[in-house]
Amino acid sequence: MIMNRSAVLLLSAALAAVPVAAGAAEPDAGASPGTVRQDGVVRGAGSAVARADVVLYQAGTERGAPATVLGRARSDAKGRFTITYERPRQRSAVLYLLADAGGRQQPVRLAAVLDGPRRSATRIVVNERTTVAAAYAMARFTDGRSISGAYPGLQNAAATAGNLADVTTGKVAAVLAAPPNGSETSTLRAFNSLANTLAGCVAGKTCEELFRLARPVGGNRPTNTFRAAVDIAHHPGHHVDGLYRLSLRERPYAPALAAAPDAWTLALRYDADGRTLDGPGNIAFDAHGNAWIANNYVFNPDPTQPTCGADYVVKLTPTGENAPGSPYRGGGLYGAGYGVTLDPKRNIWVGNFGFQGSGCPLDPDPLYRSVSQFRSDGTPLSPPTGWRYGDIMQPQGTVSDRRGTIWIANCGNRSVTRVPNGRPERARNIPSPSDGLVKPFSVAVDTRGRASVTGNGSDNVLRLSSRGEPLGYVSGGGISAPMGVASDSVGNVWVANSGLVDIPCEGTGALPPADAGLDPADGAAEASVTMIRPDGTTPAGPYERGGLFLPWGIAVDGDDNVWVANFGGQRVAHLCGARPRTCPPGHRTGDPISPAATGYTSDGLVRNTSVQIDPSGNVWLTNNWQTVPLQTNPGGHEVVVFVGMAAPVRTPLLGTPRS
């Protein structure tokens, strides 16, 4: 998909992928010293910005650490500047520019995120587009005053900024400008509208109004344009209509939105090389932020042509390219569904559910009785038939705990398989008590090492001890056709209640879209999220707002707030979690953070099964099925990434999330 990158984006992506490349240097390895000359120009509202104070920084290397000033300059009458500085020794160093202008109060602050110090000296443009790119990609690493953060989140965020704006030209970056983005979604237009919102202030006309509208509830009023952009990124559903009207006052950037969005989010679509993803089902991130994706079907762009189950797993870099050697084949892979995880040894495990399109001539029965295991370089560790110990059948959720024990939900035989310390020969099958867990779908491990398994066909959750002993069922509290399950850092487990999805296990289950005939605004009547407390109790009722339509996947971010993917409605929901102090003021557990009626929508979404949070705070969703699917090949072909929306999560995710 992604060709002809700018030098900035190429180097940033390389830095993000360095540790997984053979013979590559570690993030703290030294770069050759030397003096670098950085030329640039500051532009705003379509004109040069003269007499701007331009400062080049090296971002702090830990959360809250101070940034280091590398050099200063003042722009001339044509906005031009030159900064000469000493090259930082760290190869993973992230550099950025802040340019302040506008008189004594300097309400204009424009920003640009650069690459690491190995970049050759090229001309840099700092403008409203680069400012919006910096504000969104770095949203979880800045308060608008400085930028800091740890590897790999900070470095990957810098690379993602290069997917939005090209700092060598100040124009829209190639990734945002071209399919599957560009004119195919509204993100490009929203990006330009955000830049126009800042342009009015840069022109000296709308600063007071911008700062009033961007001010967070209970927060301080921003005093410059970069801080305002960061506040909008942090609170995208606040004063949406007013900010849209402001974007119409000065319009140097086009194309722009023709109407106000439901929220000021930026969602990028990644399709790897455009010939790989077909029905991406779930995502697991490795320690460097690379995305490992379970893929349902063999790629075929024609939905009328029958396709069989995918025999490969896909690995994307943090900026959406196919990683070297990806996709990886072998190890018994076939038709993976929702099951993909990394263990503490960096091995990848994939559950072989046996998905295939109608008309595929293969018999899936002998193929859906295993999990596959790979090294981090894509080499299969499992045999050609996969690991078959533990009576695996139609595996869905597949997760690792912090000890490396693998838990597998067997959707086809009402059981769970436990693989102690990742040793397949020791796998043990755990039948559900009284056969009461029907269509086990997803697994989450809590703070005590206990596993919670959703029963899609039994409207319950089975809890197991860390050793695999059944602890009993949880039902009620709104649990209805549950799908995904996730744990938080304080011991709770969160359940996504689809209300009506019937997974095709045990030879049953509706294959057509479950939302046929649903109200397009409201979704399933019982769509909700249930919180299960550490003692197994639930609140009296489930949480039902925030844009829940047909919940499927669910994830908890580094602030313990909850994100829900929907298999319909083209939206992701964001709910306040168990630590309300991390939520906007006035929110309580379960309250919607995303717009209550719609969630965060995007026309780049289709039918989503998974939502996961990466180390940069980006929210990734899988476009699993087309909106109007043909059963011969119903798969979608992208993952969708909402930039900078969530509190970052340390990866790989082993048990409960860590910030």
Side-chain angles (χ1 to χ4, degrees), residues 263-338:
W264 289 104
T265 61
L266 296 177
L268 289 170
R269 295 203 296 190
Y270 298 150
D271 66 357
D273 55 4
R275 303 183 304 275
T276 304
L277 292 175
D278 197 321
N282 204 349
I283 302 170
F285 296 104
D286 65 22
H288 310 296
N290 299 297
W292 292 81
I293 302 172
N295 199 52
N296 292 178
Y297 311 107
V298 173
F299 176 81
N300 190 326
D302 185 351
T304 67
Q305 295 297 312
T307 185
C308 293
D311 59 354
Y312 53 82
V313 62
V314 179
K315 178 184 177 182
L316 299 186
T317 69
T319 49
E321 305 98 333
N322 238 354
S326 175
Y328 307 112
R329 290 178 164 83
L333 261 177
Y334 187 78
Y338 197 67

Side-chain angles (χ1 to χ4, degrees), residues 49-440:
V49 178
R51 300 187 60 78
D53 295 317
V54 185
V55 183
L56 176 65
Y57 295 90
Q58 178 182 337
T61 56
E62 295 180 359
R63 184 177 181 180
T68 301
V69 174
L70 299 180
R72 301 174 183 272
R74 175 165 288 187
S75 64
D76 65 15
K78 295 184 178 180
R80 299 172 300 189
F81 66 89
T82 297
I83 296 175
T84 301
Y85 65 99
E86 290 298 314
R87 185 193 308 271
R89 291 186 174 275
Q90 298 86 358
R91 289 182 183 270
S92 60
V94 169
L95 309 185
Y96 65 96
L97 285 164
L98 296 179
D100 292 322
R104 291 183 60 185
Q105 300 300 320
Q106 292 193 313
V108 174
R109 169 170 285 186
L110 300 175
V113 177
L114 312 185
D115 55 11
R118 291 181 294 176
R119 181 191 54 77
S120 59
T122 56
R123 182 174 177 267
I124 297 298
V125 176
V126 187
N127 64 10
E128 294 94 343
R129 278 178 170 152
T130 64
T131 303
V132 172
Y136 274 73
M138 291 294 187
R140 303 301 148 179
F141 303 97
T142 183
D143 59 2
R145 292 188 289 266
S146 65
I147 296 174
S148 64
Y151 177 89
L154 181 72
Q155 287 73 18
N156 295 348
T160 301
N163 279 356
L164 296 170
D166 183 344
V167 297
T168 65
T169 63
K171 297 181 179 180
V172 172
V175 172
L176 178 55
N181 299 294
S183 61
E184 295 187 3
T185 78
S186 61
T187 300
L188 170 60
R189 298 189 296 277
F191 179 71
N192 282 331
S193 287
L194 284 164
N196 288 338
T197 300
L198 304 185
C201 179
V202 177
K205 300 176 181 178
T206 63
C207 292
E208 289 301 314
E209 190 173 358
L210 171 65
F211 300 156
R212 177 182 63 81
L213 293 170
R215 180 179 182 174
V217 175
N220 296 323
R221 174 182 175 276
T223 57
N224 60 65
T225 49
F226 181 49
R227 178 65 181 270
V230 170
D231 285 337
I232 295 169
H234 286 167
H235 307 277
H238 187 52
H239 284 159
V240 174
D241 291 339
L243 289 166
Y244 173 72
R245 289 191 294 270
L246 197 64
S247 74
L248 304 177
R249 300 276 289 277
E250 292 284 329
R251 290 183 278 184
Y253 302 111
L257 293 173
D262 58 65
W264 289 104
T265 61
L266 296 177
L268 289 170
R269 295 203 296 190
Y270 298 150
D271 66 357
D273 55 4
R275 303 183 304 275
T276 304
L277 292 175
D278 197 321
N282 204 349
I283 302 170
F285 296 104
D286 65 22
H288 310 296
N290 299 297
W292 292 81
I293 302 172
N295 199 52
N296 292 178
Y297 311 107
V298 173
F299 176 81
N300 190 326
D302 185 351
T304 67
Q305 295 297 312
T307 185
C308 293
D311 59 354
Y312 53 82
V313 62
V314 179
K315 178 184 177 182
L316 299 186
T317 69
T319 49
E321 305 98 333
N322 238 354
S326 175
Y328 307 112
R329 290 178 164 83
L333 261 177
Y334 187 78
Y338 197 67
V340 61
T341 191
L342 280 90
D343 66 23
K345 296 179 181 178
R346 302 185 180 183
N347 295 324
I348 296 87
W349 297 74
V350 184
N352 299 311
F353 178 77
F355 269 117
Q356 57 186 32
S358 63
C360 171
L362 298 179
D363 177 7
D365 184 86
L367 302 172
Y368 61 45
R369 300 176 183 270
S370 69
V371 294
S372 298
Q373 183 186 15
F374 293 82
R375 290 194 179 98
S376 59
D377 64 359
T379 302
L381 292 171
S382 50
T385 55
W387 296 124
R388 293 185 169 228
Y389 303 100
D391 196 19
I392 295 168
M393 187 173 183
Q394 290 184 296
Q396 286 282 17
T398 304
V399 303
S400 173
D401 63 22
R402 292 182 185 175
R403 294 184 177 181
T405 293
I406 308 300
W407 300 83
I408 303 161
N410 293 312
C411 198
N413 64 9
R414 306 188 182 189
S415 71
V416 177
T417 297
R418 181 177 179 270
V419 186
N421 305 114
R423 297 176 60 180
E425 71 282 0
R426 295 181 58 195
R428 177 171 67 91
N429 185 269
I430 306 167
S432 61
S434 304
D435 213 27
L437 187 73
V438 181
K439 298 187 178 182

Side-chain angles (χ1 to χ4, degrees), residues 507-659:
T508 64
L511 284 176
D515 62 346
L518 289 184
D519 185 319
D522 296 333
E526 297 182 4
S528 66
V529 169
T530 298
M531 182 181 74
I532 301 175
R533 303 184 184 101
D535 63 1
T537 62
T538 66
Y543 307 121
E544 299 176 328
R545 297 188 298 156
L548 297 173
F549 186 91
L550 198 59
W552 194 296
I554 190 167
V556 176
D557 67 21
D559 281 344
D560 281 326
N561 293 319
V562 180
W563 296 81
V564 187
N566 291 276
F567 198 66
Q570 295 180 285
R571 81 271 306 266
V572 60
H574 185 197
L575 307 181
C576 181
R579 293 192 290 140
R581 67 181 181 275
T582 68
C583 306
H587 282 64
R588 298 177 296 178
T589 296
D591 285 350
I593 296 175
S594 53
T598 64
Y600 296 130
T601 65
S602 169
D603 52 7
L605 298 172
V606 287
R607 296 182 180 276
N608 306 115
T609 50
S610 172
V611 56
Q612 302 292 348
I613 315 301
D614 74 10
S616 299
N618 301 315
V619 179
W620 293 57
L621 296 105
T622 51
N623 270 353
N624 179 250
W625 266 21
Q626 300 289 355
T627 302
V628 182
L630 298 179
Q631 293 308 305
T632 47
N633 179 13
H637 299 293
E638 309 92 11
V639 293
V640 180
V641 181
F642 283 76
V643 177
M645 292 285 290
V649 170
R650 186 185 305 182
T651 57
L653 177 62
L654 302 172
T656 57
R658 293 176 290 175
S659 63

